[in-house]
Amino acid sequence: MEALDYHAEERRKAEFDLEEMKIVWAGSRQNYEISDRMARLVASDPVFRKDNRTMLSRKDLFKDTLRKAAHAWKRIIELRLSEEEAHMLRSYVDQPAFTDLHWGMFIPAIKGQGTEEQHEKWLPMAYKMQIIGCYAQTELGHGSNVQGLETTATFDPQTDEFVIHSPTLTSSKWWPGGLGKVSTHAVVYARLITGAQDHGVHGFIVQLRSLDDHSPLPGITVGDIGMKFGSGAYNSMDNGLLRFDHVRIPRNQMLMRVSQVTREGKFVQSDVPRQLVYGTMVYVRQTIVSDASCALARAVCIATRYSAVRRQFGSQNGGPETQVIDYKTQQSRLFPLLASAYAFRFVGEWLKWLYTDVTQRLQANDFSTLPEAHACTAGLKSMTTSVTADAIEECRKLCGGHGYLSNSGLPELFAVYIPTCTYEGDNVVLLLQVARFLMKTVSQLGSGKKPVGTTAYMGRAEHLMQCHCEVERAADWLKPSVILEAFEARAFRMSIACAKNLSKFSNPEDGFSELSPDLLEAAIAHCQLIVVSKYIEKLQQDIPGKGVKRQLEILCNVYALHLLHKHLGDFVTTSCITPKQGALANEQLRLLYSQVRPNAITLVDAFNYTDHYLGSVLGCYNGNVYQRLYEEAWKDPLNDTVVPDGYLEYVWPILKQHIRTARL
C-alpha cells in the first residue's frame, strides 16, 4: 500500500522546483533543514503517536499529554537541541500541553516585565523546568477588559508582603492553560493596592503548588474548568480555575521592571517606560500570525490532496469520473485558501522582522514605531485567525461527507484552532483598537506629522482620494502597482468616511460606539492592504529556483483578486474601481485558477508536512485514501465486538416485542 502514489501524475505536472519552494515556505534553508529534521524525528517516535487521541477518555488523554511532554523534554535534553529546535519539536508533537504556556507566555512575561534581579532568580529555574508556569490573567467575569480585572494584590507594609485575594466569584481566574493540574507557578495579574489607592493591574509571580508533593498551597483553590469543544482537540490542555484566599507573597515577586512598590509601600514608576510592556504583546501576537499560516496550510493540504483523489460525476462512455479539483466551484473555494496560506506566511515573516526592529528601538528608548506596531500586530492577529478558523471549516466542507470523520484531521484541527479567535485579544475588540489607531492617524494628517510604516500610504491623501483605476482589460489586473493602488485607495477612503461620520457626533465615544461596524470594516481593509503589500514586497526580493517566483506571483494575484471580488461592494462604493473593472478582475481570477491547477498538489507538498503531523487519512502523501478509510474504520472500539455491548439489555427486548406500554 505504501509503495503506491496516487498523486504521482499530479506531481509530474509541477512547473517549479519543489525543494526551492520548500525553502521559500520555511523562510531559509536553515529553517527548512531544522523543521524537516524535527518533523521526521517526531513522526518516527512511537511515543508521539496520535491516531487514537479522539478515542481516549479525558483522563487518559491528559495522561497521554503528560507522557508526551515528558518524552519531548527528555529528547530535547538528550539531543542537546537549541531553543529553536526544541520549539519545532514541540510544535510537531501537535498536542496542546502545559508546556505551550510555560514557554510561550510565562517565560516571555518574566523576561519582558521582570527586573534583572528577577530574571536571575526565576528564568534559570524556568528554563530548566524546575518550576512550571502559566499566565493567569483572564477571569470568570473579565477577559478582553483587562482593566476590569477584580483580583487584588494589597501591600502589607507590616510584613513587606502582597496579599493576593479573589474578592468575588467572578474574580476567579478562568481559562489559563496549564493551570488546572500542572503549573507550580503563575504570573498572576491583579489590581495593585497600596494604602487605599488602586494603581491598576500589575503582574505578580505566585507559587501555586508545593514542589514536594504538588498539592495546592494554603489559601489556593485550583482545578480544571472541564471539557471543551471537540473530542481530543484542546481537551489535552488543563485549562484551569484559580481562587486566592488572602495568599501572601514577598514584595519582590511583583514584576517590577516598569513600576515598583518600595519597602515603605510607596508606588514608584521606574525609569523604564511603561510602553515596554507592549513589546511582549507584539511578540506573542506575531507568533500567532505565523501559527495561522501553519494551521491554514495544514487544512489546505488535506483538502487539496483529497480533491485530486475524489472523483464525482462527468463520466462519459464508461471513462473515469471527473476529479473534484477540476470543477471551477471547487477551485474558486480552495485556491484562494491556498493563496492565503502563502500570504499569511510572508506577512508572518515580516512581523518577525518588525518585532526585532521594535525591540531594538525600545532598548534605545525610541518608542516612535510602537503604536503602529501594536496596531499592526493586533489587526493581523485578528484578521489571520478569523480567516484561518473559517478556512479550516471550509476545507472540511470541500472534503464532502468524509471531511466530517475525525480521522480526516479537519474536525480536530478546527476544534484546536478556533480558541485563537478569542485568546490574546478578542478579534472584534482588537480590530476596534486598530480602528482607533487609524482614526488618530487620519486626524493628524493636517498637522505635518507624517504617517509611518503600514500607514505611510495615508501620507498620499490627495492622490488616493482622487485616483481612478486604469484597468481596461483583465490582464491589467496582473500589474502589482494597479492592485496596490486599488487596495490603498479603498482602505484610505473607508477610513476617511468613518472619520467624517465620527465628526458629526458631539461625543466621540458615542460616535465610535454607533459607527463600530463601519470602523471594523475600515480596519479589515487596512489589514488586508498590509498583507497584499507585504506579499508584493516579497516578490520584489531575489527568489531562486526554477518557476518558483512565477508560482508565487500567480498566488499573490489570486489572493488579491479574490479579496477584491469578495469585497467588491467596498471597492465600487468608494469609487476605487467601476463595476466593469470588478467584472474584469473576476475574469482574470478564473484564468489564474487554471494556472494554479497543474501545480496544486506540489504547492501543498512545499509545506513539507509529514503524514504524522497532518493526522489525516484524506490528506496522506500517497493519496491511498479509500484503503486507509476502510482500515481505520475497523480500529474503532465499537468494532471490537460483532454484537454491541447492551444488545441483550436494550435491543433484543425491542426486537422480540418484550417491551409493553405501562398502564397509567
Side-chain angles (χ1 to χ4, degrees), residues 55-79:
M55 301 175 192
L56 297 176
S57 68
R58 176 78 199 286
K59 282 190 173 182
D60 287 340
L61 175 64
F62 184 63
K63 189 173 182 180
D64 181 61
T65 305
L66 299 182
R67 183 170 67 108
K68 288 176 180 174
H71 187 64
W73 186 238
K74 179 173 177 282
R75 298 300 286 149
I76 288 167
I77 294 172
E78 288 174 344
L79 298 172

Side-chain angles (χ1 to χ4, degrees), residues 318-489:
E321 294 178 274
T322 303
Q323 289 171 278
V324 170
I325 199 170
D326 285 332
Y327 288 107
K328 288 296 180 182
T329 49
Q330 192 83 349
Q331 293 178 7
S332 66
R333 296 163 65 193
L334 178 60
F335 291 167
L337 304 183
L338 173 59
S340 297
Y342 277 88
F344 292 174
R345 189 67 167 186
F346 299 145
V347 81
E349 284 181 6
W350 172 74
L351 278 181
K352 287 181 181 178
W353 169 86
L354 180 69
Y355 170 70
T356 302
D357 180 68
V358 167
T359 302
Q360 291 173 347
R361 289 173 181 269
L362 290 178
Q363 290 170 349
N365 288 329
D366 177 2
F367 307 101
S368 60
T369 62
L370 188 59
E372 191 261 344
H374 180 248
C376 182
T377 51
L380 290 175
K381 181 272 178 186
S382 175
M383 191 197 80
T384 58
T385 56
S386 291
V387 169
T388 298
D390 291 344
I392 295 170
E393 169 61 8
E394 184 68 7
C395 285
R396 185 193 66 78
K397 294 175 186 174
L398 286 165
C399 290
H402 294 330
Y404 194 65
L405 285 168
S406 286
N407 60 28
S408 75
L410 291 166
E412 290 299 292
L413 177 59
F414 180 69
V416 165
Y417 190 76
I418 53 175
T420 59
C421 295
T422 306
Y423 67 59
E424 282 311 295
D426 175 86
N427 282 357
V428 170
V429 174
L430 291 183
L431 283 176
L432 289 174
Q433 291 178 10
V434 176
R436 286 188 184 277
F437 172 73
L438 292 176
M439 294 303 98
K440 183 177 180 180
T441 304
V442 168
S443 70
Q444 295 174 338
L445 288 179
S447 67
K449 183 178 180 181
K450 284 192 173 184
V452 296
T454 56
T455 57
Y457 68 98
M458 291 188 172
R460 294 180 285 110
E462 187 175 348
H463 172 74
L464 292 177
M465 289 301 291
Q466 296 177 356
C467 66
H468 297 286
C469 182
E470 297 179 354
V471 167
E472 295 180 355
R473 55 194 182 93
D476 290 340
W477 278 116
L478 299 179
K479 299 174 183 176
S481 59
V482 170
I483 289 174
L484 195 56
E485 185 173 82
F487 273 81
E488 287 178 341

